[in-house]
């Protein structure tokens, strides 16, 4: 089974970031995910935001490719993960 790398770009006191973490934790029960949380307050976080044109957090990268920013859609992410793990 393939491990999918998920990078979550977060900000302090970000409710949508907290919600995204809950969604990712739930999806990790069904898929082999390596989840890394990176604060946009860090140099690396800022660089990832710019490189991937993430307008505001939370930003989600799948295997280094931009997936979304803002409210994370569990349904949409689940569909993408199912297609990758089929």
């Amino acid at each position: 089974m393939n491990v999918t790398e998920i990078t979550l770009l977060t900000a302090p006191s970000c409710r949508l970031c907290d919600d995204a973490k809950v969604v990712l934790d739930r999806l990790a029960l069904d898929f082999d995910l390596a989840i890394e949380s990176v604060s946009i307050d860090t140099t690396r976080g800022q660089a990832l935001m710019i490189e991937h044109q993430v307008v505001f957090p939370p930003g989600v990268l799948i295997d280094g490719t931009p997936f979304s920013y803002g409210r994370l859609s569990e349904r949409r992410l689940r569909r993408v993960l199912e297609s990758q793990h089929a």
Side-chain angles (χ1 to χ4, degrees), residues 4 9 12 14 19 25 28 31-34 36-37 39 44 47 58 67 71-72 76 80:
T4 301
L9 300 170
C14 169
D19 292 347
D25 287 344
F31 301 97
D32 196 3
L33 303 179
E36 177 187 17
S37 205
S39 174
R44 180 165 178 254
F67 172 74
R71 183 175 301 280
L72 177 58
R76 183 171 160 243
V80 168

Side-chain angles (χ1 to χ4, degrees), residues 49-68:
M49 292 275 290
I50 293 166
E51 177 184 351
H52 297 292
Q53 299 178 348
V54 175
V55 179
F56 54 86
V60 176
L61 310 176
I62 300 175
D63 292 328
T65 301
F67 172 74
S68 70

Side-chain angles (χ1 to χ4, degrees), residues 3-41:
V3 175
T4 301
E5 293 183 22
I6 304 286
T7 305
L8 178 63
L9 300 170
T10 63
S13 304
C14 169
R15 184 166 179 266
L16 292 179
C17 299
D18 295 339
D19 292 347
K21 289 175 188 175
V22 170
V23 167
L24 291 173
D25 287 344
R26 191 165 37 238
L27 289 173
L29 299 173
D30 297 329
F31 301 97
D32 196 3
L33 303 179
I35 302 168
E36 177 187 17
S37 205
V38 179
S39 174
I40 64 168
D41 286 347

